[in-house]
Amino acid sequence: MDLRLLSSFLAVVEEGHFGRAAARLFLSPPAVTQHVRRLETDLGTRLLHRTPVSPTPAGERLARHARTLLAAADAALDDVAEADPAPASAAGRPLRVGIMGHGSAELTPASVNAFRRARPHVAVELRQLDFTEHVSALVEDRVDVAFVRPSPDDDRITSDVLTTEQRIVVVPESSALADARGTGARLADIADLPFFRVPGRTPRSFTEYLYFGSTARRRSTDFALTPQEVLTGVVTGRAAGSGLKSFARYYAWPGAVFVPVLDAPRDSSYLAVRTADRNPEVQIFRALTLALAKELGPRISE
């Protein structure tokens, strides 16, 4: 039996409301509804009365078993962790979560909060990463997991796709390209934009992502290491930036205009971890994030 379905069902029983259960689980209400329906189909019986929301006799019995099964699953995770403990250097320390820019949009806080609920005894530290760190922060053991883009090109790092989105450019309102905010532009239209520069130590995969794969694009005299520095350059008319579509929801600065690039390949955000890391908390965080990505990722990618 799928434990995710049981978790959604039990949340609805305990909250007495599909919407509150969805908020508690950081899922959409339709996803929770679908989980309950799948359980009812699998078991061949109705588990919940809908108006008002309350368990049927069969649902009451399942709720008792669900609590036992979910508790057993948590105990199994703890037991496995004890049998194959993390290296001494990782034992007892916080889980350090690196976030580049806005990470994977709404999925980032949902993953962090889901981990905190699942592992309340493990402290979590959030660390902001700049454009040069999407490989080095993990390799140098400054973070344990990282929300980055694009995928790090390094055998020491394993990454999973979380969201896949349309690409955008960011220009000042005074730019002629600003009029294309509603209709979109093409790669040929952005060839002469003065894109900001990044330091020489920035991984090549990241610079190719920033400049849409063309190192020949015109560069501003301004350097930037963070989205805030990019936007400062944009609104003062000194540089242009690029990103994923969700960037616009998180960095809606006055004076900055976000223009879709219609013929640029869609790109992704990733969760990256050290390939050889045996820390069970890292594996739990990764599993929770991938499960949430299946639920939230398609909505973010629209």
Side-chain angles (χ1 to χ4, degrees):
M1 184 175 290
D2 191 330
L3 295 181
R4 290 185 307 152
L5 306 187
L6 283 179
S7 180
S8 290
F9 165 72
L10 188 59
V12 175
V13 170
E14 293 177 348
E15 296 292 337
H17 192 275
F18 278 84
R20 289 195 297 271
R24 167 173 149 182
L25 297 170
F26 289 91
L27 298 176
S28 65
V32 172
T33 300
Q34 183 183 42
H35 287 177
V36 171
R37 285 176 178 166
R38 282 177 55 189
L39 262 183
E40 291 179 326
T41 298
D42 290 347
L43 296 175
T45 187
R46 195 168 185 82
L47 299 172
L48 292 172
H49 300 297
R50 269 37 177 199
T51 308
V53 175
S54 62
T56 64
E60 290 178 353
R61 291 190 179 190
L62 182 61
R64 292 195 296 271
H65 292 300
R67 290 187 181 94
T68 300
L69 287 169
L70 293 170
D74 287 340
L77 285 173
D78 290 338
D79 187 53
V80 170
E82 289 177 7
D84 186 17
S89 60
R93 77 181 183 188
L95 183 77
R96 301 161 300 168
V97 180
I99 304 172
M100 176 178 286
H102 71 303
S104 295
E106 292 83 354
L107 183 59
T108 302
S111 298
V112 171
N113 288 329
F115 180 83
R116 283 174 167 154
R117 289 197 311 274
R119 309 293 282 174
H121 58 287
V122 179
V124 177
E125 289 184 0
L126 305 182
R127 302 190 178 184
Q128 202 68 40
L129 305 180
D130 67 37
F131 298 150
T132 70
E133 296 180 298
H134 85 299
V135 171
S136 62
L138 282 164
V139 170
E140 295 171 7
D141 194 27
R142 288 184 276 114
V143 299
D144 301 303
V145 299
F147 291 90
V148 299
R149 56 194 176 279
S151 177
D153 184 15
D154 192 301
D155 291 340
R156 296 168 293 180
I157 297 175
T158 297
S159 58
D160 301 291
V161 174
L162 299 181
T163 65
T164 300
E165 304 178 49
Q166 185 179 49
R167 295 296 309 278
I168 54 97
V169 293
V170 193
V171 297
E173 285 183 330
S174 58
S175 170
L177 200 60
D179 292 338
R181 75 184 82 191
T183 57
R186 296 191 172 274
L187 288 170
D189 301 324
I190 68 174
D192 292 331
L193 290 178
F195 284 89
F196 63 88
R197 295 177 181 271
V198 290
R201 66 182 183 278
T202 306
R204 180 170 179 173
S205 61
F206 190 75
T207 60
E208 289 179 348
Y209 160 80
L210 288 177
Y211 304 133
F212 296 90
S214 174
T215 57
R217 297 205 184 280
R218 180 183 167 199
R219 308 290 174 82
S220 164
T221 57
D222 282 32
F223 279 82
L225 283 173
T226 66
Q228 290 79 7
E229 291 176 353
V230 171
L231 288 164
T232 298
V234 168
V235 298
T236 55
R238 300 196 309 273
S242 70
L244 300 176
K245 182 180 178 180
S246 57
F247 187 94
R249 296 200 297 275
Y250 283 79
Y251 297 103
W253 281 31
V257 176
F258 303 89
V259 180
V261 183
L262 303 177
D263 57 344
R266 289 165 68 88
D267 219 316
S268 301
S269 68
Y270 296 81
L271 182 73
V273 301
R274 285 182 292 276
T275 301
D277 196 336
R278 294 190 299 113
N279 183 350
E281 306 304 339
V282 169
Q283 300 311 315
I284 292 169
F285 188 94
R286 183 183 180 193
L288 286 170
T289 300
L290 290 178
L292 284 169
K294 291 181 182 179
E295 302 287 350
L296 300 180
R299 288 195 295 146
I300 296 171
S301 299
E302 290 175 355

